[in-house]
Amino acid sequence: PATSAMSRALGTRLPVAQGPMTRVSDRAAFAAAVADDGALPFLALALADGTRTREMLTEAKTALDGRPWGVGVLGFAPEELRNAQLEAVRELRPSHAIVAGGRPAQAEALERAGISTFLHVPSPGLLRQFLDAGARKFVFEGSECGGHVGPRASFPLWEAQLAVLEDFPDAANVEVFFAGGIHDERSAAMVATLAAPLTARGAAVGLLMGTAYLFTEEAVDRGAIQPLFQRQVMAAASTALLETAPGHATRCVPSPFTFNYREREAELRDSGVPDRRVWEELERLNVGRLRIASKGVDRSTDGELTTVDEQRQFSDGMFMAGEVAVLRSATTTVAALHHAVTDGAADFLAQRTATARPAQPPVPAPLDIAIVGMACMFPQAPDLAAFWANVVAGHDAVTEVPAERWDPAVHHADGSTTSKWGGFLPPIPFDPLGYGIPPASLGHIEPVQLLALEAARRALDNAGYGERGRKFDRSRTSVVFGAEAGSDLSNAATLRAVLPSYYGKVPDGLEDQLPRLTEDSFPGMLANVISGRIANRLDLGGANYTVDAACASSLAAVDVACKELTAGTSDVVLCGGADLHNGINDYVLFSSVHALSPTGRSRAFDGSADGIALGEGVACVVLKRLADAERDGDRIYGVIKGLGSSSDGRSLGLTAPRPEGQRA
């Protein structure tokens, strides 16, 4: 194709014409009009037999007089018919060909005959296969096109295909036509922008248009379509998809035929006709309908073409057109259309570039959240001072599982878990009466709730706001903890509840080992009660809730706490994280996804990394706005200036794709 200002500016080519032309003389006449203005016209061979194909190509070759032109071939057409078409194509040598529903071997055969051949590729998986097979010329056609369409809309398809080509090392030898909804300056500019990284690597990119040509004066003047067809597409407010079989749909503008089509389909299905027969019947309904609509002719019983009037065109014709029909309502010329999608698109981009401002997100103001109190309980560190001493000394607190937790001889030896290592909390003193909790209730409350309560109380003491410390507004003090649901206690309670479904009762040997339900059990096992129990026992009247973001739960809690303070809805926030998930169930689950390190050591960013190690811990910090902390004379351990959180999105993780945890 001839180059243009858009080619020089954006690395794209002039458009390709592909329209519903059926008569030999009309095809050649309109193809010549398209070629006169520098574009590359294509003639769709559809199901023409060998004789008709040879006649069409002979006349087109004469009319185009040495200029580039192409043919469209159905790769899935009956073999005998397709072979006859391809024989004529190789004999008359158009410069280009497009194979729809074809294979790289078919394109390669035409390439050997000196015909530059493009393959329709409707999915990224198929594109990878075609690239591996040596194909380098493609058409990416979105479902906005008219006629037979695939399932993917243009932009999702284009982006998926470009993502494949982004990783393809031989991109400089790739040639691509984009199709689907292209018809003006904006749509062509969008393609050029989207494909810019590909063209920067040396690939050739072009535009394939069909429906847009239905609006040209030449399409009617040269007899490619009848005036009624053009009036129908100009008046279209919507398009219809006529599905003959799953994955086989034809886009056209609504007409009496489309309404009757739906009714006929409903009749067939209501009559209990098998799906395959329904599909065949619907396919037969479509045969010849485009010719009636576009040419005003029908094939009689003796095989002759006869003229029909506009009333018959309207009632029986199928006005095949893409979504562009909804976007345009006036005629244009071939020259004006070509200018719009080439020089016009280049000017459009230049203008938008000149007036656009760089997309720079505003820099957020510092959070300035002060940490004024801390407390923690970690493996081999029952309190804050011991933990800091371990940090300073570089002490490794990961050990083999203690015998009182679970027995490695049972669970590790049989392969249930790949690891027998972890970080385990030492015994932590807890005075239930000091919190108004009856000792008899302790066996029905998750230890994580009790330790979180103890850590929160210690953090307040550390900040100077404990029972004997300074006064503060408890009504505006909130509690936010990061935690996950479930533990050994809740697992045991669940086991007691479900065993009767399998055995009719709880087996005698387990009756005394499993916890019995009391009024303390339900709140004692709810993760959200972690924050609620702290607020209740420490008399804090602000918001209280527990957040779960998997491994990022603690930092998600910090995120929420900072928002509470910056929004002014709280003046003090007790923010913490609590996790005692080191039971055998957790080891088995993590082993099932190959996440645990057999050596029991996490080695982040290390080539020898072989998994993670599970650990327990409870920690709490007291947060205030920095200005308030300075005003109140608080001891400030540090200041949170900012934080960010993100989702895994569709990246590969525990699920494929993984919608699971956040990263904060």
Side-chain angles (χ1 to χ4, degrees):
T3 57
S4 67
M6 188 176 183
S7 307
R8 295 189 295 273
L10 305 170
T12 62
R13 291 179 171 177
L14 277 172
V16 176
Q18 186 171 353
M21 300 169 285
T22 55
R23 282 185 184 166
V24 174
S25 58
D26 298 335
R27 282 175 177 266
F30 188 56
V34 171
D36 284 344
D37 201 60
L40 172 63
F42 273 79
L43 283 70
L45 299 183
L47 297 178
D49 59 24
T51 301
R52 292 179 60 210
T53 297
R54 188 169 278 98
E55 291 173 353
M56 288 188 287
L57 299 188
T58 299
E59 185 163 344
K61 186 172 185 177
T62 300
L64 289 161
D65 192 24
R67 288 170 291 184
W69 61 289
V71 295
V73 180
L74 298 177
F76 53 85
E79 184 176 2
E80 183 178 352
L81 179 67
R82 186 177 66 250
N83 288 340
Q85 290 180 345
L86 293 178
E87 182 181 348
V89 170
R90 287 191 292 267
E91 176 187 334
L92 292 162
R93 295 287 186 88
S95 58
H96 292 72
I98 290 176
V99 182
R103 304 181 305 278
Q106 295 170 332
E108 185 181 0
L110 292 175
E111 287 278 352
R112 286 198 302 268
I115 301 169
S116 181
T117 305
F118 292 75
L119 288 163
H120 272 268
V121 193
S123 71
L126 200 60
L127 177 58
R128 292 187 187 96
Q129 293 180 27
F130 285 6
L131 288 167
D132 290 342
R136 296 293 183 267
K137 300 173 183 178
F138 309 105
V139 176
F140 300 156
E141 181 180 274
S143 61
E144 289 86 349
C145 284
H148 298 292
V149 297
R152 297 176 184 242
S154 293
F155 267 93
L157 173 65
W158 297 343
E159 289 180 331
Q161 305 295 57
L162 287 171
V164 173
L165 294 176
E166 183 179 351
D167 299 326
F168 185 61
D170 192 28
N173 291 317
V174 169
E175 298 182 39
V176 176
F177 284 129
F178 289 79
I182 304 167
H183 70 107
D184 63 358
E185 294 86 350
R186 185 185 298 271
S187 55
M190 290 166 74
V191 172
T193 303
L194 188 68
L198 187 61
T199 56
R201 296 175 62 191
V205 172
L207 311 175
L208 179 68
M209 300 191 302
T211 300
Y213 283 100
L214 300 175
F215 291 83
T216 62
E217 297 171 359
E218 291 89 343
V220 174
D221 293 344
R222 307 295 174 91
I225 58 173
Q226 292 293 297
L228 175 66
F229 199 107
Q230 190 172 76
R231 294 200 302 271
Q232 284 294 103
V233 295
M234 284 198 299
S238 64
T239 61
L241 278 177
L242 305 182
E243 186 178 59
T244 54
H248 295 269
T250 302
R251 188 179 297 282
C252 53
V253 300
S255 68
F257 172 71
T258 65
F259 303 138
N260 294 336
Y261 184 96
R262 307 280 192 202
E263 293 177 358
R264 179 56 179 159
E265 181 181 12
E267 290 173 2
L268 291 169
R269 297 198 181 281
D270 291 344
S271 300
V273 176
D275 283 345
R276 181 163 295 281
R277 281 188 53 200
V278 171
W279 301 337
E280 291 172 353
E281 177 70 19
L282 294 177
E283 196 65 54
R284 281 194 292 269
L285 277 178
N286 286 345
V287 175
R289 301 290 181 169
L290 176 60
R291 182 173 56 238
I292 294 174
S294 64
K295 310 305 299 181
V297 296
D298 192 12
R299 192 173 297 279
S300 62
T301 55
D302 59 4
E304 294 296 322
L305 293 177
T306 58
T307 302
V308 300
D309 58 21
E310 280 198 349
Q311 182 176 354
R312 172 84 188 285
Q313 278 182 266
F314 180 68
S315 63
D316 292 355
M318 177 167 55
F319 297 87
M320 195 181 291
E323 291 282 15
V324 167
V326 181
L327 303 177
R328 302 184 73 102
S329 58
T331 59
T332 185
T333 64
V334 168
L337 177 63
H338 289 177
H339 174 79
V341 297
T342 55
D343 296 322
D347 293 342
F348 178 88
L349 272 181
Q351 181 180 9
R352 292 300 296 267
T353 302
T355 58
R357 296 179 179 178
Q360 296 179 345
V363 178
L367 291 175
D368 284 340
I369 302 299
I371 302 170
V372 300
M374 296 191 294
C376 67
M377 306 147 190
F378 289 129
Q380 300 185 22
D383 54 35
L384 184 64
F387 178 65
W388 182 242
N390 284 345
V391 171
V392 172
H395 177 67
D396 184 351
V398 173
T399 64
E400 289 195 34
V401 58
E404 66 271 16
R405 293 301 185 91
W406 50 268
D407 189 353
V410 174
H411 301 288
H412 182 62
D414 69 358
S416 297
T417 169
T418 55
S419 174
K420 58 180 179 178
W421 302 87
F424 298 89
L425 283 179
I428 306 294
F430 182 79
D431 178 15
L433 295 179
Y435 295 102
I437 300 174
S441 299
L442 292 182
H444 306 285
I445 301 174
E446 294 276 18
V448 70
Q449 293 188 13
L450 304 176
L451 294 184
L453 174 58
E454 175 70 10
R457 194 267 308 165
R458 291 184 186 181
L460 270 180
D461 285 347
N462 183 263
Y465 292 108
E467 187 175 346
R468 297 181 180 84
R470 292 173 293 163
K471 302 297 181 181
F472 65 103
D473 189 348
R474 293 177 180 269
S475 68
R476 289 182 56 79
T477 299
S478 297
V479 183
V480 183
F481 260 67
E484 294 183 70
S487 73
D488 288 346
L489 178 61
S490 61
N491 291 339
T494 300
L495 183 60
R496 170 179 282 279
V498 302
L499 278 175
S501 299
Y502 296 94
Y503 294 100
K505 65 173 186 176
V506 177
D508 295 338
L510 296 176
E511 178 67 36
D512 296 333
Q513 299 184 50
L514 297 176
R516 295 180 179 276
L517 292 180
T518 70
E519 63 182 9
D520 294 311
S521 299
F522 188 37
M525 289 183 284
L526 293 176
N528 60 319
V529 175
I530 293 174
S531 296
R533 193 179 293 275
I534 293 171
N536 177 265
R537 295 295 86 189
L538 300 184
D539 189 24
L540 307 177
N544 74 81
Y545 39 88
T546 304
V547 297
D548 182 356
C551 299
S553 296
S554 296
L555 287 178
V558 174
D559 187 20
V560 173
C562 290
K563 289 182 170 68
E564 280 282 333
L565 293 167
T566 56
T569 52
S570 300
D571 292 334
V572 179
V573 178
L574 274 66
C575 175
D579 188 280
L580 302 185
H581 285 71
N582 263 18
I584 184 57
N585 189 53
D586 302 284
Y587 276 76
V588 171
L589 290 174
F590 274 92
S591 294
S592 71
V593 294
H594 312 290
L596 291 186
S597 165
T599 59
R601 296 299 184 275
S602 297
R603 302 178 181 86
F605 312 113
D606 193 306
S608 63
D610 57 0
I612 64 171
L614 298 182
E616 298 175 328
V618 180
C620 182
V621 292
V622 181
L623 303 179
K624 296 177 67 173
R625 287 179 290 272
L626 177 60
D628 293 350
E630 292 174 336
R631 177 199 64 201
D632 298 336
D634 293 311
R635 174 179 53 186
I636 298 173
Y637 286 102
V639 178
I640 301 172
K641 288 290 186 178
L643 58 88
S645 63
S646 68
S647 170
D648 287 331
R650 297 192 65 179
S651 63
L652 186 63
L654 287 180
T655 57
R658 173 188 181 186
E660 188 249 340
Q662 281 188 332
R663 295 173 182 154

